[in-house]
Amino acid sequence: MGSGKGATSSSSPGQMDASISELRQKHQQDLEQLALTAQPFKTLKLFTFAVIQYVKHVISYLLEKGGYLVLLSTVIVVVGILLVNLDGPHEKHIEEISNYARFGMWWIALGVASSIGLGSGLHTFVLYLGPHIAFFTIKAMQCGRVDLKSAPYDTIQLKRGPSWLDKDCSEFGAPLFKLEGGLRVPLSSILSQVQIEAVLWGLGTAIGELPPYFISRAARLSGGTLNIEELEGSSGEDTGVIAHYMTIIKHWFLMHSQQLNFFTILLLASVPNPLFDLAGIMCGQFEISFWKFFLATLIGKAIIKTHIQTVFIISVCNNQLLTWVENELIWMLSYIPGFASALPPLITKLHAVKNKYLTASPRVHLNTKVKKWDFSFAAVWNTVVWLVLMNFFCKIVTSTAQRYLKKQQEKELDAFIDKLSTSVNIH
């Protein structure tokens, strides 16, 4: 750096401090300017170096401490390749296992993508799991039965949709549940059909909360402290009422962070909580054991939170929540003068619309207009998903490159301070 070259043997302590401060300011400017949109080539270069460095660390760690693990993994991979390529009666079982493995990895990966990245994660519940639960509930309500899947893994996955989504209700058979009081399929029956993917997604969200914990714990064990604001990224750039109240809540949370225990972590993980990353950071700082943190997070996110979200979506889509709201509104409006006489015909019309919605429509033959509309909707939805994925990728690349650059800057600063100290001691 220029400030390093400008240091002379006659540097005074005041000049040393000025030079160090100047170098730190330059480092901070370089970090702020480093972004995939502003400096794409430099950012990608540093991101590549960071990935190569991480791969080297993983390989060296496995070779030093996990030689048996590498050997076992190699044997499993070789056996798997042989089973896949050899013909025989085992082929259908291998294919079934492969389908289940892809199903599990898909939903777990979506959960990880949703929670990783300290608030900048991909909102996969809104993009995938939520719509999947809603579509299944609506289809079950229309067909009057829940045995729609050809297998547990017959769900939305990468580059393919579920087989039951485009089928006509007549292909599944006669309805098993009758329409009574605006309800057709019980909530519990639908919940059991979408429970596996919801729990797998919740497991992924729990795994995605581990990086802040490990980073904070590593900083604590190395004798340092973690810069919370730095981990929160660009939180200081947020403005507005919501950001103001979020900052107040964050400060309150940090003041009471020493009271974290298993039940506190469980409570924070069981509700939609954008500040849960801070819980992981604080748990690492106060050296809360890994299993206490992970088990509380796993139970809260994979069991309690996912079931709350799933039950809510099912309740909305199978009209249980809407029926309750309708009954409450009818009860309230009946006490308003003039509304009592107008309510019966209005309720009759609403029920007619509801019954029409819940009745399976007759099978429609191929129609050009319908096909064009379906294609357009799919194209728009895929475009939105890809834009969100690209934004998520840009954030991950930028943050990784910035962390790598900061480590290089810290090494450069230490070397520069050592050089100045040596120069002062000599003279």
Side-chain angles (χ1 to χ4, degrees):
M1 305 297 270
S3 54
K5 294 180 180 178
T8 62
S9 60
S10 60
S11 297
S12 64
Q15 291 174 328
M16 285 178 57
D17 293 339
S19 300
I20 293 172
S21 177
E22 181 183 349
L23 182 59
R24 282 176 175 164
Q25 289 180 358
K26 186 179 185 307
H27 285 172
Q28 186 62 31
Q29 290 177 357
D30 291 341
L31 276 176
E32 292 174 354
Q33 294 173 358
L34 185 66
L36 192 60
T37 53
Q39 298 178 338
F41 295 107
K42 183 178 180 180
T43 305
L44 288 172
K45 176 184 174 183
L46 294 175
F47 173 75
T48 304
F49 288 157
V51 171
I52 293 174
Q53 186 182 64
Y54 176 76
V55 171
K56 286 181 178 179
H57 284 321
V58 171
I59 293 175
S60 61
Y61 176 82
L62 291 176
L63 291 176
E64 290 176 7
K65 299 184 178 181
Y68 68 93
L69 183 62
V70 175
L71 179 62
L72 179 62
S73 301
T74 303
V75 172
I76 293 175
V77 170
V78 171
V79 172
I81 292 174
L82 290 175
L83 290 175
V84 169
N85 290 290
L86 292 177
D87 298 331
H90 64 277
E91 283 184 303
K92 60 180 182 180
H93 301 293
I94 295 297
E95 184 179 358
E96 192 74 2
I97 293 173
S98 177
N99 289 331
Y100 276 103
R102 283 197 298 267
F103 163 73
M105 289 189 294
W106 167 252
W107 288 110
I108 291 175
L110 287 181
V112 172
S114 179
S115 60
I116 202 169
L118 293 159
S120 62
L122 187 65
H123 302 293
T124 53
F125 184 88
V126 177
L127 292 173
Y128 292 100
L129 183 59
H132 166 69
I133 297 171
F135 289 151
F136 186 88
T137 303
I138 293 171
K139 193 73 173 181
M141 291 290 291
Q142 291 176 340
C143 299
R145 54 195 304 152
V146 295
D147 53 343
L148 308 177
K149 295 182 179 180
S150 59
Y153 52 77
D154 187 12
T155 65
I156 296 174
Q157 293 188 36
L158 186 64
K159 294 185 178 180
R160 78 176 184 88
S163 63
W164 46 263
L165 188 59
D166 296 326
K167 286 184 178 180
D168 188 76
C169 288
S170 60
E171 299 183 36
F172 300 107
L176 299 178
F177 299 91
K178 294 182 179 180
L179 183 62
E180 296 179 358
L183 300 177
R184 170 168 280 178
V185 184
L187 185 149
S188 57
S189 300
I190 300 176
L191 178 62
S192 61
Q193 297 296 318
V194 296
Q195 207 166 21
I196 298 177
E197 47 264 41
V199 170
L200 288 173
W201 180 86
L203 171 62
T205 61
I207 295 173
E209 299 292 354
L210 293 180
Y213 171 82
F214 283 126
I215 293 172
S216 178
R217 187 175 177 84
R220 178 71 174 181
L221 294 176
S222 64
T225 57
L226 201 62
N227 190 335
I228 306 279
E229 294 298 327
E230 178 183 309
L231 275 175
E232 288 298 307
S234 59
S235 59
E237 299 175 2
D238 296 333
T239 58
V241 178
I242 296 178
H244 173 70
Y245 283 107
M246 288 290 287
T247 302
I248 294 175
I249 296 172
K250 187 188 301 181
H251 287 194
W252 180 91
F253 182 78
L254 292 175
M255 290 175 61
H256 296 81
S257 56
Q258 293 185 357
Q259 301 175 5
L260 286 173
N261 53 43
F262 181 88
F263 294 103
T264 308
I265 300 168
L266 177 64
L267 178 63
L268 292 172
S270 300
V271 296
N273 180 14
L275 297 179
F276 188 79
D277 291 319
L278 285 179
I281 294 171
M282 290 298 100
C283 287
Q285 279 289 293
F286 294 110
E287 299 184 20
I288 292 177
S289 66
F290 165 76
W291 287 112
K292 180 186 290 186
F293 171 74
F294 183 67
L295 286 177
T297 305
L298 180 65
I299 295 171
K301 287 187 172 290
I303 298 177
I304 301 176
K305 180 184 174 182
T306 53
H307 280 81
I308 292 173
Q309 294 173 314
T310 304
V311 167
F312 175 77
I313 292 179
I314 295 175
S315 299
V316 172
C317 294
N318 79 344
N319 291 318
Q320 284 190 336
L321 183 61
L322 297 180
T323 301
W324 177 81
V325 172
E326 176 190 330
N327 293 333
E328 292 298 318
L329 286 175
I330 291 173
W331 177 78
M332 292 172 59
L333 293 175
S334 63
Y335 288 96
I336 301 177
F339 275 89
S341 59
L343 280 176
L346 179 62
I347 294 171
T348 303
K349 291 181 180 179
L350 289 175
H351 285 176
V353 173
K354 183 194 296 184
N355 292 336
K356 183 179 179 181
Y357 158 75
L358 292 176
T359 303
S361 57
R363 189 175 185 86
V364 179
H365 296 284
L366 292 178
N367 185 286
T368 306
K369 291 183 179 180
V370 173
K371 282 294 178 180
K372 285 183 178 178
W373 167 252
D374 290 342
F375 172 77
S376 299
F377 178 78
V380 171
W381 179 253
N382 289 334
T383 302
V384 172
V385 171
W386 278 109
L387 287 175
V388 175
L389 286 171
M390 289 175 63
N391 179 55
F392 179 65
F393 174 76
C394 290
K395 287 182 178 180
I396 292 296
V397 171
T398 299
S399 61
T400 304
Q402 287 176 344
R403 284 196 296 269
Y404 181 82
L405 178 61
K406 187 170 181 60
K407 289 181 181 179
Q408 300 303 313
Q409 289 175 344
E410 289 173 352
K411 292 180 181 179
E412 181 182 0
L413 183 62
D414 292 340
F416 180 65
I417 293 174
D418 291 340
K419 184 177 179 181
L420 288 180
S421 300
T422 304
S423 177
V424 171
N425 292 333
I426 291 176
H427 296 275

